[in-house]
Amino acid sequence: LLLESFDSEYGLFGYLDENGDLRVPSLSGEIFNECRVPDKSFTFPHKTWTGRWGMALNENKSFLLNEELQISDGHLPINNTIFAPIIFQKRSIGLLAVANKKTDYSENDLAFLENICEYVAPILNARLERDRLEKKRAEAEEEIKKYSANLEKMVGQRTKDLNMALSDAENARDRV
């Protein structure tokens, strides 16, 4: 829908994971398969953030560029771009970007994408928070299973020790 609305060839949606790295689960069309960047990934560690999209995330600031971007070898050509951070409570939690519009992007295009980011921000934050809580719950359940198994093993060993002690006491009594 964004690509249609902005008459753009390419676009992406990304969010910041629990490590603060940008994960990009949504790229337009077959761009990932067409891209010839070596060792490409859907995850961009914070330390690798470069260019305007990195600045957008680091500075909580949108960028509109009506020019060809300097990109790495193997990357598809990118012209005319808007990078808009998804900001929740004054911190970037994601990124929306559109690129390769046949004509220049306008300030209205920028404002429209920023408005979409404002709308998406609380929804994305709720989703990320839910995912974090589910991960913590799953980790806690795994810890409980480990402790439970260990406790059962300890109780079993203690029961065995007590039974042996009782048996030894009975044997000693019988000898007396």
Side-chain angles (χ1 to χ4, degrees), residues 71-85:
I71 49 180
S72 56
D73 290 339
H75 199 290
L76 297 172
I78 301 295
N79 304 297
N80 303 342
T81 312
I82 300 175
F83 299 107

Side-chain angles (χ1 to χ4, degrees), residues 74-145:
H75 199 290
L76 297 172
I78 301 295
N79 304 297
N80 303 342
T81 312
I82 300 175
F83 299 107
I86 302 169
I87 301 168
F88 185 79
Q89 295 181 346
K90 299 182 182 179
R91 67 178 180 88
S92 292
I93 61 170
L95 181 74
L96 283 176
V98 290
N100 286 25
K101 184 176 181 179
K102 290 180 179 60
T103 60
D104 286 351
Y105 289 106
S106 68
E107 289 296 323
N108 286 341
D109 290 329
L110 176 63
F112 183 45
L113 191 57
E114 288 175 333
N115 284 336
I116 292 169
C117 287
E118 285 179 32
Y119 179 78
V120 168
I123 299 165
L124 176 59
N125 186 70
R127 172 69 186 264
L128 293 173
E129 187 61 26
R130 185 200 71 194
D131 290 351
R132 277 191 271 286
L133 290 174
E134 284 182 5
K135 183 178 178 186
K136 281 184 177 182
R137 181 189 52 75
E139 289 170 352
E141 286 177 356
E142 191 60 34
E143 283 296 309
I144 289 170
K145 285 180 185 176

Side-chain angles (χ1 to χ4, degrees), residues 24-36:
V24 182
S26 177
L27 291 167
S28 53
E30 294 296 317
I31 191 171
F32 193 79
N33 295 331
E34 294 173 19
C35 180
R36 298 294 173 234

